[in-house]
Amino acid sequence: MKKDMVVGVSLSAVAIIVLGGWLIWQAVFPSPVAQWVFYGEKPSEARGFSYPPAKNSATGHLENKPEIPEGDGALLTQWADAKQCSLIVKSGKEKISVTRFNESNQPSVQVRYIDSHDVASELNVQINQGVSFWTYPDAKKPGEYVGWKFDNLAGKPIPIRYRGKELLEGTVYKRLTNGKWSYERFHNGKSVETKELEQLPAISSENEEHELAIVRDANQWLSHKLQKLSESLSVPVPDQWLNSGNDPCLTVNAEI
């Protein structure tokens, strides 16, 4: 019994020492939360890691080692735990940010593009399901945005139009305190139909061809923007963010 007790105490002591050593190691040499690669105009390439903010950090921001270069270029970041990566490309007044989330069963991509006139376009896609939201400036009507939004009742994306943040054409769904949903449809900026729904209809596969056509258009739009920025900067920019068989996140570990 006494021998077993000594062995147990010894193992506990070893475990405490190992845990203490690991905590000290993490404090002195913390694990990176992300790794990144930056391609600049010169051309130049820099690679590094992002670490949690130090305990005495005045800003609370991540610490990049080495520092990410400033100026125009393409920054691709792979996040370790969140299973996502992000791409930010800047060329003069133009800027695009693309984030791909791979942590769920249905990967998704979010895009925000700012053109040279400081006008934004937004794109949200669930890979293998379709476009959930896509707006871009209307070339014929300055100040207005057109595009597509997935509508639960229709079971497919429907055309939408905004003037600033005002919805002119499209639908709005809101969750009510009683657990039900309110539905409201707008036409020419006016509410023309309202109803209360017990629950949101499930996504249907009946309109798959319509979905695929919009995804193809969105993929072409995004590829065109990325290719244009790549050419203007003369730097490599990962493409094909909306394809299920391709993962641009892996580019962080590759030599382009």
Side-chain angles (χ1 to χ4, degrees):
M1 177 68 70
K2 189 174 294 185
K3 181 180 179 181
D4 292 341
M5 184 179 296
V6 172
V7 172
V9 171
S10 300
L11 291 176
S12 298
V14 171
I16 291 173
I17 293 172
V18 171
L19 177 60
W22 181 81
L23 292 174
I24 294 173
W25 178 270
Q26 287 296 310
V28 179
F29 305 104
S31 300
V33 296
Q35 64 179 114
W36 52 265
V37 55
F38 177 85
Y39 299 99
E41 288 186 278
K42 294 191 175 178
S44 63
E45 177 184 322
R47 291 177 178 269
F49 295 88
S50 297
Y51 294 86
K55 290 184 178 180
N56 59 352
S57 173
T59 63
H61 296 163
L62 296 177
E63 295 184 359
N64 300 306
K65 299 178 182 180
E67 288 295 323
I68 298 174
E70 296 182 356
D72 293 347
L75 173 65
L76 182 64
T77 304
Q78 171 77 61
W79 299 91
D81 296 330
K83 294 184 180 179
Q84 71 184 61
C85 69
S86 59
L87 170 71
I88 298 176
V89 187
K90 184 178 180 298
S91 176
K93 293 184 177 180
E94 282 188 271
K95 181 179 179 180
I96 192 168
S97 61
V98 186
T99 302
R100 177 158 168 159
F101 301 90
N102 289 328
E103 72 272 21
S104 62
N105 293 331
Q106 202 64 51
S108 62
V109 177
Q110 295 181 357
V111 182
R112 180 176 174 82
Y113 169 68
I114 307 294
D115 66 16
S116 57
H117 302 290
D118 200 33
V119 178
S121 298
E122 306 274 353
L123 172 65
N124 293 335
V125 175
Q126 285 191 307
I127 297 177
N128 291 330
Q129 284 194 354
V131 170
S132 53
F133 186 76
W134 183 20
T135 60
Y136 45 89
D138 187 344
K140 298 179 180 179
K141 295 185 177 181
E144 294 191 8
Y145 299 80
V146 293
W148 300 88
K149 171 189 172 184
F150 183 83
D151 183 85
N152 292 77
L153 282 181
K156 62 181 180 181
I158 61 172
I160 56 175
R161 177 179 291 274
Y162 284 86
R163 182 185 296 118
K165 294 184 178 181
E166 179 189 5
L167 179 61
L168 302 179
E169 301 285 342
T171 58
V172 175
Y173 293 83
K174 292 182 181 179
R175 186 69 180 266
L176 303 176
T177 55
N178 60 6
K180 298 181 180 180
W181 292 82
S182 68
Y183 162 88
E184 190 170 11
R185 183 168 64 88
F186 288 82
H187 177 62
N188 290 331
K190 297 180 179 180
S191 176
V192 295
E193 183 183 4
T194 61
K195 63 176 67 175
E196 188 174 283
L197 306 174
E198 292 290 335
Q199 59 185 11
L200 291 178
I203 296 175
S204 172
S205 60
E206 295 179 1
N207 300 292
E208 185 176 358
E209 285 300 320
H210 182 66
E211 290 270 11
L212 292 176
I214 297 177
V215 171
R216 284 194 296 267
D217 290 344
N219 197 21
Q220 185 176 14
W221 172 83
L222 179 57
S223 295
H224 173 74
K225 297 300 181 187
L226 294 176
Q227 182 65 30
K228 178 184 174 184
L229 288 168
S230 178
E231 292 174 354
S232 68
L233 294 169
S234 297
V235 301
V237 175
D239 196 0
Q240 302 304 311
W241 289 81
L242 307 185
N243 292 343
S244 58
N246 182 73
D247 188 359
C249 302
L250 301 178
T251 308
V252 178
N253 300 310
E255 295 291 340
I256 300 181

